[in-house]
Amino acid sequence: SVITGNLIFVGRAIGTSSLTPALHAAMAVVGYMLGVAAGSRLAHMVGRSAPAAAWPRKATIVLSVECVVLLAANVAWIGYRTDLPSAATDVLLVALALSLGMQGAAARTIAGNPSTTYMTGALTALVEALATGRARGVDASAALGLVTLVVGAASGALLVEHASRLALLPPLA
């Protein structure tokens, strides 16, 4: 996951006494933690009197606030014409990590507590099934999800390269 990778970058920097390369990784982790805290607190506050539901109102509220953060990030990205000064890049990094943390907090309010590391688990299950000869037990939707994830990343990369002002719109959608 993104956070796991960033934590590894931070640990490597601490282990090598070279903290500068891990600064952005640490900012992403802190932003994510702030997002989880804010989203969890918001869900707790708005969900106290709400009845239990498969898709709770508090998830919608947290995701709506996340949408506002993503919208603000898009406005900044487009407003700076994708050429942000260093300080603005840092703020945008933290804001986007915060929105990811809010999304994770929202997921934890849903009945059954769906995993936010679904793709990692899907890949593990797929490889296990193929390696042990149990390919018939593969979840086709998980395999499709993995392909969709790669296509989405490729699409994002194409937007960054050829239509950079629009590059942050897909997560908002």
Side-chain angles (χ1 to χ4, degrees), residues 55-132:
W55 184 269
R57 183 175 66 99
K58 58 188 172 182
T60 301
I61 291 170
V62 173
L63 292 174
S64 296
V65 173
E66 176 202 11
C67 186
V68 170
V69 173
L70 288 171
L71 184 59
N74 272 277
V75 167
W77 180 257
I78 293 168
Y80 275 110
R81 297 184 175 357
T82 72
D83 187 25
L84 283 76
S86 180
T89 299
D90 294 345
V91 169
L92 193 59
L93 169 66
V94 172
L96 292 171
L98 182 130
S99 70
L100 184 62
M102 292 186 79
Q103 189 177 100
R108 293 189 53 81
T109 69
I110 299 168
N113 193 12
S115 172
T116 56
T117 58
Y118 175 75
M119 289 300 152
T120 302
L123 181 59
T124 302
L126 177 64
V127 172
E128 176 190 33
L130 293 173
T132 60

